[in-house]
Amino acid sequence: MSFVEYGDTIKDGDTAIVFLGHESMFPVKVQHGTVTQTKYGVIRHSTDLIGKKYGSKVTCSKGGWVFILHPTPELWTMNLPHRTQILYSTDISIITMMLELKPGSIVCESGTGSGSLSHAVIRTVAPTGHLYTVEFHQQRAEKAREEFREHGVEHLVTVTNQDVCKNGFGVSNIADAVFLDIPSPWEAIGHAKSALKAEGGRICSFSPCIEQVQRTCLAMEEYGFTEINTLEILLRVYNVRTISLQIPDLGKAAEDNSSTGFDSSNPSNQGSPSANLQQGTVQFKSGVPLREMVGHTGYLTFATKS
């Protein structure tokens, strides 16, 4: 099993996603002789998982069932253990596009955090690219190395435990893109410039506060970056619902019905447009936004090394 290569069969040691519903899923490490408890009953790894195909429908001990899904960066983002605040797919998608990532790209990242963005970047740059990720916190760095090894992507990523603002990324003039998610990104702009290739490399800084953005933009200008721009991505979800609206009385409906011999008591006329006019309402499908929406997460500042 690997997050960048699809495997058809569930094997001992794999990380799989137990899917109970769109709002209910969780990761599990498949191990021979282990059981996993769900609200639908027990899943026995030896008999219910190992050897089965990903996507299989598994019946639990209480008669309920779940699906076992192959892990992807998107599913991992929704289910990973949070060691820090993470980036979600809404921001990750625009970061991947604006940094112009592709297979073979070399990317520097700080900080690693819970590895949400890291997995997406690794999947994008595979099979010939590489991610150099720096994490200030030693325990988080060690946990990230362990997860990358378990997920079969350790050959595509190098994890370093150091302060990027003081010591940089540990590489020079090779990166196609740099991503910063640290409290004071303006202190790392110089190291980011050193890590980027000689010309045309892209940089992105994620900051929750506009004051951080202002200082970062000033530092980017000082180090000669161009095409500096800041984005904010807001996700707004719409529900499709049936809406009933009252038809305005223009004084012609009754006259039209009488002139055409319309009989509202006739069952054959109940579904006709004239019947809706007689009832005074019309129904149609419409997109209605949710009363609550995901608000501000952070500002994304992009720039190019000239």
Side-chain angles (χ1 to χ4, degrees):
M1 184 278 304
S2 171
F3 272 57
V4 298
E5 297 176 358
Y6 181 78
D8 190 55
T9 306
I10 304 172
K11 298 181 178 62
D12 188 16
D14 282 2
T15 297
I17 305 297
V18 179
F19 180 89
L20 293 82
H22 289 291
E23 302 296 330
S24 179
M25 62 185 89
F26 59 90
V28 61
K29 185 175 181 179
V30 179
Q31 292 179 313
H32 185 77
T34 303
V35 298
T36 296
Q37 295 283 350
T38 75
K39 63 181 181 181
Y40 299 126
V42 172
I43 300 174
R44 296 175 175 82
H45 293 200
S46 300
T47 57
D48 296 333
L49 299 183
I50 298 177
K52 300 290 182 65
K53 289 187 176 182
Y54 279 106
S56 297
K57 182 178 179 179
V58 174
T59 302
C60 304
S61 60
K62 293 182 180 179
W65 48 267
V66 299
F67 287 106
I68 308 300
L69 305 180
H70 192 282
T72 65
E74 290 77 17
L75 289 175
W76 185 245
T77 291
M78 297 172 62
N79 296 281
L80 58 78
H82 285 230
R83 299 183 289 273
T84 59
Q85 176 68 313
I86 69 169
L87 288 173
Y88 290 92
S89 297
T90 307
D91 288 315
I92 290 173
S93 60
I94 197 71
I95 292 169
T96 303
M97 182 187 73
M98 295 294 289
L99 289 182
E100 303 173 2
L101 303 186
K102 59 185 181 299
S105 295
I106 306 298
V107 183
C108 292
E109 174 197 27
S110 183
T112 312
S114 301
S116 175
L117 177 67
S118 304
H119 282 81
V121 170
I122 290 170
R123 193 261 309 272
T124 303
V125 304
T128 56
H130 200 83
L131 171 66
Y132 294 90
T133 182
V134 178
E135 173 56 50
F136 176 78
H137 193 277
Q138 181 179 358
Q139 291 180 332
R140 288 201 293 263
E142 293 173 354
K143 185 62 179 177
R145 289 193 193 98
E146 179 184 344
E147 285 181 350
F148 293 142
R149 183 170 57 253
E150 291 179 353
H151 297 166
V153 297
E154 71 276 10
H155 61 291
L156 296 169
V157 58
T158 299
V159 182
T160 305
N161 173 221
Q162 64 186 28
D163 185 352
V164 69
C165 295
K166 295 180 179 179
N167 307 114
F169 294 93
V171 296
S172 299
N173 302 321
I174 65 169
D176 297 289
V178 170
F179 177 78
L180 298 174
D181 183 7
I182 54 178
S184 53
W186 55 89
E187 296 181 2
I189 298 300
H191 294 296
K193 183 177 181 180
S194 299
L196 286 169
K197 59 187 181 181
E199 185 178 359
R202 295 279 287 167
I203 183 174
C204 175
S205 174
F206 177 90
S207 298
C209 301
I210 196 63
E211 291 81 7
Q212 293 171 305
V213 174
Q214 292 170 332
R215 295 189 64 175
T216 302
C217 289
L218 291 174
M220 288 179 175
E221 289 181 347
E222 180 182 348
Y223 280 95
F225 284 89
T226 60
E227 299 178 341
I228 302 172
N229 64 88
T230 299
L231 307 176
E232 182 184 24
I233 311 300
L234 299 177
L235 176 64
R236 191 174 189 182
V237 179
Y238 281 78
N239 283 341
V240 177
R241 297 179 181 176
T242 300
I243 304 296
S244 296
L245 290 180
Q246 187 173 4
I247 298 176
D249 183 6
L250 302 179
K252 294 184 178 181
E255 180 181 346
D256 292 343
N257 291 339
S258 61
S259 62
T260 57
F262 176 79
D263 182 7
S264 61
S265 63
N266 188 343
S268 63
N269 291 329
Q270 292 300 317
S272 67
S274 298
N276 288 333
L277 291 174
Q278 189 73 6
Q279 295 167 4
T281 61
V282 63
Q283 292 185 338
F284 60 93
K285 298 290 186 180
S286 177
V288 180
L290 299 180
R291 293 183 178 180
E292 297 180 356
M293 64 171 285
V294 177
H296 172 75
T297 57
Y299 299 103
L300 294 170
T301 301
F302 297 92
T304 303
K305 183 178 178 180
S306 61

